[in-house]
Amino acid sequence: MSADELAPVVRLAPAKVNLTLAVVATRRDGYHALHTVMVPLGLADRLSLARAAGPRDSLHVVGGADGRTSLDPVGFGSVLAGLDAARRIVGRGADAFPLAARLEKRIPVAAGLAGGSSDAAAAIDGALSAWKADASREDRQRAAASVGSDVPFFLAGGPALVEGRGERVTPLTPFAGRPPGILLVTAAVEVATAAAFAAIDRDPNAAPANRGSTRLTSEHLAAELGPGYPPLAADDLVRRAGVLAVANDLANAADLIVPGLRALRRALARLLGTPIGLSGSGPTLWALYPSLDAADEAARRVRDEHAAGRLESPGAGAPFVAATTIEGGTSA
Ligand code: C5P
């Protein structure tokens, strides 16, 4: 390899779930102030960056594990937005040469898993690395926030309390020991985040059912995962599943936007005998398990039930069903 050739820079872009999501206030700028505990997952997209042959950044998308995601790069503008944001950090002086991005898409889109935001964070970090550019934590955070509200979280690399519009990220203690398992069930429908937030302001039926208690649950979990408490293990998290599963202020909005989501949630709770939570504005539903094996077993049951015609899921086609882990390193 000659000196100016670049070995591709590869980044995993994990999905996230919200273990809690409190909408604290509607802000003057139209965004909503949040208090949410977010965790990265083992389920991840893979982004690789190489020097582009042409004069501009390019993007090629492959994958679509769920079989319903369109691979048209137009739908993945967040990667190119991430590269632009990275270029703004390094400024004109640096050799921020054009990059050819290749995205292997594994995370369902518009699903409440923040795949696009994670791709953008991976693009920012990967581009800076490809250009061998230094950037302060503040510059990275600012660049991330300029692309989207969920992007700064992914620079933290582990569980975090996310506040404000999404730009205030406080790292939390990783889970101790074996990573918790998590089952994801994503109905074959897309939910636009903006629509869910707009609904809670405009439609009384979409308003949060238990606003005050969601905030309390979120604060409590953030405190338990903060300094001064021993790290939580997977079993400790599973014991809290009941309170966490109802701690999402966007749940009523998601139920209005996606007819049949509430019924799917109830059916999963009955089938699996465990609390079912909602990630972000949905439609992804989650269930917590003490291990990946246990989550895998639950995924098998859900797939079998659907294949047998005993589990109805909104949208055209089968839901995306995946067992994965909550990631972020271990603290013991
Ligand atoms: O920042 P991002 O473009 O990802 O947000 C998508 C939309 O979700 C925003 O246009 C806004 O309507 C809504 N949103 C919000 N409050 C947040 C984050 C997003 O109202 N904290």
Side-chain angles (χ1 to χ4, degrees), residues 30-34 117 145 147-150 164-166 193-195 197-198:
Y31 281 88
H32 293 75
L34 307 178
S117 299
V147 179
S149 303
D150 277 344
R165 201 195 107 194
T193 309
F197 277 109

Side-chain angles (χ1 to χ4, degrees), residues 21 23 25-27 29-34 117 144-151 162-167 192-198 200-201 250 281:
L21 199 175
V23 179
T26 304
R27 308 187 340 171
D29 62 6
Y31 281 88
H32 293 75
L34 307 178
S117 299
S146 76
V147 179
S149 303
D150 277 344
V151 184
V162 176
E163 294 172 281
R165 201 195 107 194
E167 75 285 4
T193 309
F197 277 109
I200 62 169
D201 290 337
L250 293 174
S281 50

Side-chain angles (χ1 to χ4, degrees), residues 28-53:
R28 280 158 179 263
D29 62 6
Y31 281 88
H32 293 75
L34 307 178
H35 190 287
T36 172
V37 173
M38 292 175 28
V39 289
L41 305 183
L43 173 69
D45 293 340
R46 184 175 180 276
L47 181 72
S48 69
L49 300 173
R51 188 187 275 267

